[in-house]
Amino acid sequence: MTKTMTEQNVPDRSAVALLTIDLQRDFVCQGSPVQASGVSGCLPQVRRIVQAFRDYEKPIFHAVRLYRPDGSNVDLCRRSAVMEGLRVLMPGTKGAELLDEIKPNADVRLASEDLLAGEFQEIGNREWVYYKPRWGAFYGTELETRLRDLGIGTLVVTGCNFPTGGRATIYEGCARDFCVIAGNDAICDASREGLDELGRLGAYQKTTEAVLEWLSGKRQNSAA
């Protein structure tokens, strides 16, 4: 029997992975020129979702940005500033590191040159960090191949921040026929209007509580 469109776009917790977007110190630290607003409000929810994925041994992918000092790999809107001396997300610096709150342990450090070469750095059981050269988590990366190899069809997206990396990642995931769940209280600066707009692409919205209940099997596959 042929499945309907709705039946084909149903989140599957047996084939789900978590994506965190740009959860790095330079996007969070007070006074950083690229500080994202609203991170402190969503970070506790992100931590709970990350820990749940670890507890259930589900794959986790942390997407990070890294800016070479010469600006050669920087997106156009920031390239001139980096070339003129803006020092953010520099490979090997503390500012480029993952937030301590989401690391599997405090000793984790990014292998920046390996990441820039396209490698996925394993930092825990079924948990990786990788470099993305632009806003979206898929653009110019091997993420889709990795997900397909793991049999993943559903993605939960969290992190910072919605107007840039969050939105772009949800668009890219939907365009590649993944069933995408936006953690609507676990993506900073996520607006109701923006999330509803992405719903027209088939993306779901779930609160952290709903994600955790769904992941545990206590909640059905409804948007929440």
Side-chain angles (χ1 to χ4, degrees), residues 21-37 39 64-68 78 82 85-101 110 160-161:
I21 310 300
D22 296 339
L23 289 175
Q24 297 165 267
R25 291 171 59 89
D26 273 340
F27 285 120
V28 175
C29 290
Q30 191 71 29
S32 168
V34 293
Q35 180 186 4
S37 63
V39 178
V64 299
R65 304 296 297 275
L66 296 168
Y67 289 168
R68 293 191 184 278
R78 291 181 179 154
V82 171
L86 177 67
R87 290 297 176 258
V88 293
L89 305 172
M90 295 285 120
T93 65
K94 290 183 178 179
E97 293 291 335
L98 286 174
L99 296 174
D100 289 343
E101 292 89 338
L110 299 186
C160 67
N161 58 35

Side-chain angles (χ1 to χ4, degrees), residues 159-171:
C160 67
N161 58 35
F162 178 77
T164 54
R167 185 195 299 267
T169 296
I170 294 167
Y171 267 112

Side-chain angles (χ1 to χ4, degrees), residues 2-53:
T2 302
K3 291 184 178 181
T4 66
M5 182 182 299
T6 301
E7 289 171 332
Q8 291 174 357
N9 189 39
V10 174
D12 181 357
R13 65 177 177 273
S14 70
V16 64
L18 173 65
L19 302 184
T20 78
I21 310 300
D22 296 339
L23 289 175
Q24 297 165 267
R25 291 171 59 89
D26 273 340
F27 285 120
V28 175
C29 290
Q30 191 71 29
S32 168
V34 293
Q35 180 186 4
S37 63
V39 178
S40 60
C42 79
L43 192 54
Q45 287 73 253
V46 176
R47 291 176 62 185
R48 293 179 66 200
I49 292 174
V50 169
Q51 189 57 54
F53 271 75

Side-chain angles (χ1 to χ4, degrees), residues 54-122:
R54 288 178 184 142
D55 292 344
Y56 288 108
E57 298 185 341
K58 302 293 187 182
I60 302 171
F61 292 87
H62 303 286
V64 299
R65 304 296 297 275
L66 296 168
Y67 289 168
R68 293 191 184 278
D70 64 1
S72 59
N73 70 329
V74 178
D75 39 295
L76 288 178
C77 64
R78 291 181 179 154
R79 187 172 299 171
S80 293
V82 171
M83 293 173 66
E84 292 169 5
L86 177 67
R87 290 297 176 258
V88 293
L89 305 172
M90 295 285 120
T93 65
K94 290 183 178 179
E97 293 291 335
L98 286 174
L99 296 174
D100 289 343
E101 292 89 338
I102 65 160
K103 292 179 182 179
N105 66 73
D107 295 330
V108 168
R109 294 291 182 272
L110 299 186
S112 297
E113 290 307 315
D114 292 339
L115 294 173
L116 285 164
E119 296 186 20
F120 281 60
Q121 178 184 351
E122 189 167 6

